[in-house]
Every structure is written in structure tokens, then in C-alpha cells.
Amino acid sequence: MKFKIFTIALALGMIMPSCSDEDKLTPSGDYSVVRFEFPQGNNDFDKELEAIHDEYGIYVIYKDITVQDLNRKWTSVGTDNTYYGNDVPASDMPFYVDFLKNRVFKYMDKKDVDAVFPVKVYLMENFRALPYGMEDNEDRDNQSSADSYGDIISRYFQPMKTNGFDYWTISFKKSEIEGRNPEGPKRVAAVIFYSALENAIRSGKYAEPANFRDGIDFETKLVDSKYTRDENCPLNRGIPIYITEHFGTQNSQFEIEGSYYISEYRKDGTRDLFFEYIRQALYYTPEEFVKKYPERYYPLLNEKYNMVVDYFLSKGVDLAAMAGGK
């Protein structure tokens, strides 16, 4: 059965602080609470998207998404990036649906989905975040160049956006859809899983294992060097190379790894080591982690990684399976 989507704008309006008529917040652009007809077609994948909605309450939209939809916000446009994207070809939709069903929702219960997902997920081809003031047609030169996998995409391509007005966006390259490059889907899945686990931890569902910080020196100054065998090298102190919170899906370089924790890191520091190990376990399978950090050189890293994996497995959450997509 087809029906129109009513977005969460009405609900947001109900929970916003009251104010005078002239001060009321309204989203920028020609916003309407009624926008898309759903499902958007009669293909087999449309039926699967309808089933996803029926189970999780999420509208997965893959065509007729406008620039206004992508750039709507509570305030004026300002100087932020401007987002563009293309409709996903019908031939690519089975991959997207399989990704959602078997790479994401397979590992999440409904409460976790409800806690982190927005009402809408936009699937887009060549989703891009252009610098303020750049028109989409000015990006043509960038779109005509191929990356190392032969993908012809904008150099402002962005695989995921999780801070939309009332939506997330997911975009895969042809090499990822064709199975030649598994990196993009892995990163996008990791962002979703991490968002769910972070929310569950902060709500008290999970907690840092009592002995997690045992054996880690948080006081002695670190030696900020990637390859040194010094005992105060971060790796020798149980501190892995930092993985970004967005797993490289939402920054300009799309690099998954950042710098080391530097010398002022403390037990009560802003970067929580437990969350860092969760990101490590969501990105690296046990086999990949020990290959990157051989146990004979980095026993403390492996001890803490395994402790985190085992802890969540005891709670019914298989981080290794999430990382491997199995």
C-alpha cells in the first residue's frame, strides 16, 4: 500500500521550547511535512524497503531527492557545505537493500535501531558535499576523474552523512557495489554500529569492564613516535592508533586513522580508551587486528582488544562478526 511520508518535523515542533510567534523556528527552504510517496516503486527491492519500514519505521528513499531535501535546516543556509546527489540506478538497489538487511539490521535489535536511526535514510549515487559558494556544475572536472578503483566520482564525494535535518545519507561507489572494494560498506556499517553501542553505553546498557584499565600507565609522558620500541611509545602502553568516530566517512580526507593519543592523555581525559577499543573491534576483525599489531610486539594492545571483544560477546554482541560482515 502506498502512502505519504509524514516526517518528524511536527514532533520536533511539539518538543521545541515555546516562543513568541515572531521568534518561532521554521526550517529553511520550502519545507513540507508531506513529501515522498512510499514505497517509490513496484520492484522487488521496493517490497523489501517497505518491509524494512514495517519492522523499523524507517523510510528508505532512493530517488526524487532534491537539493532542498539535502540542505534543509532550522536556520538559514549560512556558509556550510552544499550537498548534492543523484538517484540510485535501479540496477544498484539490490546491493543497497542487501547491505541494510544483511550487513546492518542483521546485527541490531529494534530498540537499538530506534535509538540511532532518523526517520529517513536517503540512498544516493555520488553524494557530494561542495564547498560553500560552489555550484554543482563547477564540479564537472572533478567528476570526470577516476579514483584508484576506476570510480568516476566527485572529489567532494562523501559516503555518509549522519547530521541531516531529519535524515541520514548513504552513498556507495561502483567498485563497492561490484564487490571490488569492500572498504566503503565496512566503514558505513561501523559508523552505524558504533552509534548504537555508544548510545547504549551512555544509557547504561553496557559498561567498561572493571579491569579494563589495569596495566595501562596513564601518567608517564608518552613518546609520540609511530615506530619506536621505547616502552613509552603509545602502542607499548596499550594505546592503539586512533580511529576516528566516523571511521573516515565524514571528513575531508576520508582517513580512518588519526594521530596517536598524545602525551597529555590521562585517565580522565576527553578521549575514552574503552570507546577507542570498541572502534578498533568494529573495524578490525581479530585476524586483522593481530596482523596490524602482532601480539609478540604488542601484548597489551591484544589483551585489551580481546577483553573488549569478549565482554560484548558475553552480552550477545558479536563485534568480530560486525567487523567481518559474517
Side-chain angles (χ1 to χ4, degrees):
M1 179 179 70
K2 293 195 175 231
F3 52 94
K4 295 282 188 179
I5 296 177
F6 287 80
T7 72
I8 59 173
L10 184 60
L12 286 171
M14 295 172 65
I15 64 174
M16 291 297 292
S18 61
C19 51
S20 61
D21 289 343
E22 60 269 25
D23 292 332
K24 284 181 180 178
L25 288 173
T26 56
S28 64
D30 184 18
Y31 187 71
S32 171
V33 296
V34 181
R35 174 67 180 88
F36 294 97
E37 188 174 70
F38 187 87
Q40 293 188 290
N42 297 310
N43 302 287
D44 289 343
F45 60 76
D46 287 298
K47 296 181 177 66
E48 294 188 84
L49 294 180
E50 188 171 17
I52 287 174
H53 169 264
D54 291 344
E55 184 169 359
Y56 299 107
I58 299 168
Y59 296 93
V60 181
I61 307 299
Y62 61 92
K63 64 180 180 179
D64 302 327
I65 302 163
T66 67
V67 174
Q68 289 73 29
D69 292 323
L70 295 175
N71 294 282
R72 190 169 285 121
K73 56 185 67 179
W74 282 110
T75 58
S76 61
V77 173
T79 58
D80 294 339
N81 291 334
T82 304
Y83 296 93
Y84 296 87
N86 307 330
D87 290 352
V88 175
S91 59
D92 291 345
M93 279 304 298
F95 174 85
Y96 279 90
V97 173
D98 181 73
F99 171 81
L100 291 171
K101 288 178 57 179
N102 298 314
R103 189 69 179 83
V104 176
F105 295 137
K106 173 182 175 180
Y107 302 101
M108 302 177 70
D109 63 36
K110 189 176 185 305
K111 288 184 179 179
D112 290 335
V113 173
D114 289 344
V116 298
F117 270 85
V119 69
K120 292 181 292 190
V121 173
Y122 292 153
L123 307 179
M124 304 210 75
E125 181 183 60
N126 197 21
F127 180 65
R128 49 206 182 270
L130 302 191
Y132 176 72
M134 177 181 282
E135 296 294 332
D136 196 32
N137 59 8
E138 296 179 61
D139 193 33
R140 289 176 181 171
D141 291 342
N142 301 315
Q143 294 193 46
S144 64
S145 60
D147 64 10
S148 59
Y149 284 93
D151 295 299
I152 301 176
I153 54 172
S154 167
R155 79 178 163 107
Y156 300 106
F157 173 78
Q158 186 165 310
M160 191 176 193
K161 177 178 170 62
T162 58
N163 61 347
F165 175 72
D166 58 355
Y167 70 89
W168 282 2
T169 300
I170 296 173
S171 185
F172 292 124
K173 304 174 185 178
K174 278 293 184 183
S175 62
E176 295 163 348
I177 292 171
E178 293 170 357
R180 294 182 287 113
N181 175 16
E183 185 69 13
K186 181 174 185 174
R187 293 186 183 197
V188 170
V191 170
I192 296 170
F193 296 145
Y194 181 68
S195 298
L197 290 173
E198 184 181 34
N199 180 78
I201 291 167
R202 299 200 187 284
S203 67
K205 184 176 181 179
Y206 307 118
E208 180 182 302
N211 58 342
F212 173 73
R213 297 182 182 233
D214 291 356
I216 300 178
D217 177 1
F218 290 92
E219 303 302 328
T220 306
K221 185 176 180 178
L222 294 167
V223 175
D224 191 13
S225 175
K226 185 173 291 188
Y227 302 106
T228 182
R229 295 299 180 194
D230 190 294
E231 65 179 7
N232 289 314
C233 168
L235 298 184
N236 296 329
R237 294 263 295 275
I239 301 171
I241 299 174
Y242 177 71
I243 288 182
T244 68
E245 285 83 353
H246 294 295
F247 295 83
T249 64
Q250 297 180 76
N251 60 52
S252 59
Q253 299 300 317
F254 305 114
E255 294 177 350
I256 187 166
E257 292 184 332
S259 64
Y260 282 106
Y261 288 97
I262 56 177
S263 59
E264 61 264 28
Y265 182 81
R266 291 291 183 270
K267 192 177 298 187
D268 58 350
T270 56
R271 289 182 174 176
D272 192 300
L273 198 57
F274 178 50
F275 284 97
E276 174 59 35
Y277 269 95
I278 293 172
R279 293 195 293 274
Q280 298 284 332
L282 284 172
Y283 188 71
Y284 296 116
T285 65
E287 296 78 16
E288 291 168 339
F289 189 84
V290 77
K291 182 178 180 180
K292 183 175 182 65
Y293 301 114
E295 190 168 8
R296 62 174 175 164
Y297 296 129
Y298 308 113
L300 192 56
L301 283 175
N302 281 271
E303 175 191 331
K304 300 307 177 184
Y305 172 91
N306 291 328
M307 183 182 295
V308 170
V309 170
D310 291 343
Y311 167 77
F312 278 101
L313 191 59
S314 73
K315 303 293 183 180
V317 179
D318 193 339
L319 301 184
M322 289 175 168
K326 300 176 181 179

